[in-house]
Every structure is written in C-alpha cells, then in structure tokens.
C-alpha cells in the first residue's frame, strides 16, 4: 500500500507536549468482507475500501509502553480529509490503535487499548492495532487497514408488526460490551441490553433490526431474549433464542414468526456476506 502525504485536519484532540515536526501521519482504510472471501486466513484477498461513506467516526489513540493513552485524535465524516490524520508526539515506540465506527459519537479508547461506545450503543465497528516507532524530527507516514471487529444479530419477522406494538427490548447474553484492541477480542462475557428500540418507523412493515456486539472469543454460543412492548409498558410478545452461534464479522440472522403467543418459529443462519449466515433454530 502506497504511503501518502497528509495535510492538517479538523480534529478534536487530547495532546501531550510534542515537537510538531515529528509524529505520525495516518491514512485509514477499511477491509469490507464479502462472499468472495474464502476464509479468515484469506483476509488479504478481500476488498479494501475508503472510510468515507462507510463509517461516521474515526478515533486514533497512541499508547505508551505501559499501555497508557498519551494522545487521542477524533475525526468525523464532516471533517476535511476524513481518514487522513496527523498526530504529534515525542520520539519513541507506541501502540497505535485506529477505530472506525458508524456511531453518532466517537468511540473511547482507554488504558490497555480498551474500546467502548457511549452507553454501550455499539454500532458497526472496524479496528486495527499495531506498533509504531517515531524518530526525532521526523514525521512517519502510516497506511493502515481496519478490519471489522463486531458480530451482528439480525432479527427479521416473517409477518408485519401488529398494531399496538410500540417498541422492543433485546437482551443478549454471552457477548461483550467492550473490545480489547491489543488482544483482538471482547473484554469479558456479559449481557448487552438494547432497550426501548422504537418500532414506529416500521409501522405497517415487517421487523428488521440489527444488534451489534463484541465477542469474548472467535466462536461463541449466545442467547437472546426479545420482548415486544405495547401501551402502558405491557409485554405483548416474547421471543427466546437459546445457544446460537455468533462469530466476529458475521451476521447471525433470524427469520420467522415472532408475534404469536406461546413462542415463535424460525431459523437462524450465519451470513458471511459480511463474512455467510449462521443459522439459528429456535
């Protein structure tokens, strides 16, 4: 990948003292996985795309040898030269963490390279972690390609959302709400709550909702409890999906009857279009 020359950009920064003649010039791209991909071992054969039009925010963090964050730069899609970022820093060896997401707010990178979303509102997310060395009075150019680091649960109903269903709550167990960029996995298994998902935009249509999560390992068995809520906070329909498979960069896709009393019928598949679907059978 060719190195690039960078121009100053509009950013929100947390700076340390530094000589502005030295530091890093980072260009970010995304590796979008498709059905043409053979397997995770063939990652370099997959299409690489620009960040513009694919993510809303980029966060660049520099960590020192003790894994403390010494500099953070945030960029959003409206900034000039989105995806090209200058970082000023003192000479030394650093861990460089680049995060791109579709969240409306920038992600946070904390000590140890832990990535989190405000309020655990996880969206489609890409990440790259690498070591870099900055020399005195030199600006180092770095081209980096971010890989998707989330898994997706897609819930699609086979019938139209009934009248009176106003919103839904989703609880996913066995996933992570934070991501360890250095070790490339979710921090620890737990519960991700997605509450008060407004269904009014889908009135008169079938349900189609995406839930994003980090995973504590490459192949996980997780469970999801879905509750459809009506007026006065009344639970109208529930759906329980038990011990289905989720993998990073993979869509676990459920399609079936959801709005029936006494349970629901459907299947879950794994979609590696992202990387193809893992099936879920209730």
């Amino acid at each position: 990948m060719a190195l690039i020359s960078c121009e100053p950009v509009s950013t929100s920064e947390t700076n340390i003292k530094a000589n502005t003649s030295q530091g890093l010039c980072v260009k970010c791209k995304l590796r979008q996985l498709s059905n043409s991909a053979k397997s995770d071992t063939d990652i370099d054969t997959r299409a690489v795309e620009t960040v513009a039009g694919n993510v809303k925010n980029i966060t660049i963090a520099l960590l020192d040898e003790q894994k403390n964050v010494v500099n953070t730069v945030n960029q959003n899609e409206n900034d000039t030269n989105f995806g090209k970022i200058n970082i000023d820093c003192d000479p030394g060896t650093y861990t460089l963490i680049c995060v791109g997401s579709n969240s409306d707010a920038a992600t946070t990178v904390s000590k140890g390279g832990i990535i989190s979303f405000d309020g655990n509102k996880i969206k489609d997310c890409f990440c790259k972690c690498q070591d870099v060395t900055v020399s005195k009075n030199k600006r180092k150019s770095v081209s980096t390609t971010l890989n998707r680091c989330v898994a997706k649960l897609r819930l699609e109903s086979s019938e139209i959302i009934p009248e009176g269903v106003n919103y839904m709550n989703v609880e996913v167990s066995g996933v992570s709400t934070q991501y360890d960029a250095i070790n490339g996995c979710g921090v620890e298994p737990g519960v991700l709550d997605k509450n008060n998902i407004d269904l009014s935009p889908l009135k008169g249509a079938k349900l189609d909702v995406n839930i994003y999560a980090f995973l504590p390992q490459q192949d996980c068995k997780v469970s999801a409890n879905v509750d459809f809520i009506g007026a006065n906070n009344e639970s109208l329909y529930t759906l329980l999906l038990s011990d289905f498979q989720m993998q990073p960069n993979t869509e676990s896709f459920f399609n079936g009857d959801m709005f029936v009393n006494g349970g629901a019928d459907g299947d879950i598949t794994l979609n590696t279009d992202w990387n193809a679907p893992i099936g879920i059978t209730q």
Side-chain angles (χ1 to χ4, degrees):
M1 187 178 296
L3 298 180
I4 54 118
S5 60
C6 294
E7 300 173 1
V9 296
S10 171
T11 59
S12 170
E13 301 186 11
T14 302
N15 285 311
I16 57 172
K17 289 184 178 180
N19 182 338
T20 56
S21 66
Q22 64 202 19
L24 295 173
C25 179
V26 182
K27 180 182 179 182
C28 298
K29 288 189 176 182
L30 304 179
R31 196 178 301 280
Q32 297 280 68
L33 307 192
S34 67
N35 281 330
S36 62
K38 297 177 182 178
S39 70
D40 285 343
T41 58
D42 301 309
I43 195 167
D44 289 335
T45 69
R46 299 168 181 172
V48 175
E49 300 184 14
T50 62
V51 294
N54 290 300
V55 296
K56 295 181 180 179
N57 287 282
I58 294 173
T59 299
I60 304 289
L62 280 183
L63 280 62
D64 62 17
E65 293 182 354
Q66 288 72 45
K67 306 309 177 189
N68 295 306
V69 178
V70 296
N71 200 337
T72 301
V73 180
N74 296 319
Q75 215 184 32
N76 67 55
E77 59 186 343
N78 296 317
D79 285 327
T80 304
N81 292 331
F82 183 52
K84 301 176 183 179
I85 301 173
N86 282 321
I87 308 175
D88 297 327
C89 58
D90 291 324
T93 298
Y94 299 91
T95 299
L96 172 67
I97 296 175
C98 306
V99 187
S101 79
N102 270 319
S103 174
D104 291 330
T107 54
T108 298
V109 180
S110 55
K111 182 176 181 178
I114 305 302
I115 298 169
S116 57
F117 283 75
D118 183 37
N120 292 333
K121 296 177 180 178
I122 303 171
K123 298 292 186 180
D124 198 6
C125 186
F126 300 78
C127 180
K128 181 63 179 290
C129 176
Q130 64 191 87
D131 292 332
V132 294
T133 300
V134 177
S135 301
K136 185 176 181 180
N137 297 324
K138 289 184 178 181
R139 184 164 289 276
K140 182 181 181 69
S141 292
V142 178
S143 291
T144 188
T145 301
L146 284 58
N147 296 303
R148 184 176 275 121
C149 57
V150 292
K152 178 169 71 173
L153 170 61
R154 182 181 173 191
L155 301 172
E156 183 181 85
S157 65
S158 56
E159 72 272 55
I160 292 174
I161 300 172
E163 288 287 336
V165 175
N166 298 329
Y167 60 94
M168 63 188 289
N169 297 329
V170 182
E171 180 183 273
V172 187
S173 302
V175 298
S176 302
T177 57
Q178 295 179 310
Y179 187 72
D180 184 338
I182 294 176
N183 292 304
C185 61
V187 173
E188 60 183 14
V191 176
L192 174 66
D193 291 315
K194 293 289 186 179
N195 295 323
N196 301 317
I197 300 174
D198 184 15
L199 299 181
S200 58
L202 296 175
K203 186 176 182 179
K206 296 179 180 180
L207 181 78
D208 193 352
V209 171
N210 295 322
I211 306 294
Y212 297 91
F214 300 118
L215 300 181
Q217 56 192 39
Q218 290 299 303
D219 196 341
C220 293
K221 290 289 188 178
V222 306
S223 298
N225 186 55
V226 185
D227 199 6
F228 295 98
I229 308 298
N232 302 317
N233 237 5
E234 180 185 3
S235 176
L236 301 178
Y237 307 97
T238 59
L239 171 67
L240 177 61
L241 302 173
S242 300
D243 296 325
F244 62 90
Q245 189 180 10
M246 291 190 80
Q247 297 172 356
N249 187 48
T250 302
E251 175 187 276
S252 296
F253 176 47
F254 176 86
N255 176 269
D257 298 328
M258 298 186 189
F259 307 108
V260 293
N261 291 317
D265 295 318
D267 296 307
I268 287 190
T269 54
L270 276 189
N271 181 11
T272 53
D273 178 18
W274 254 46
N275 202 341
I278 298 176
I280 306 179
T281 302
Q282 191 196 15

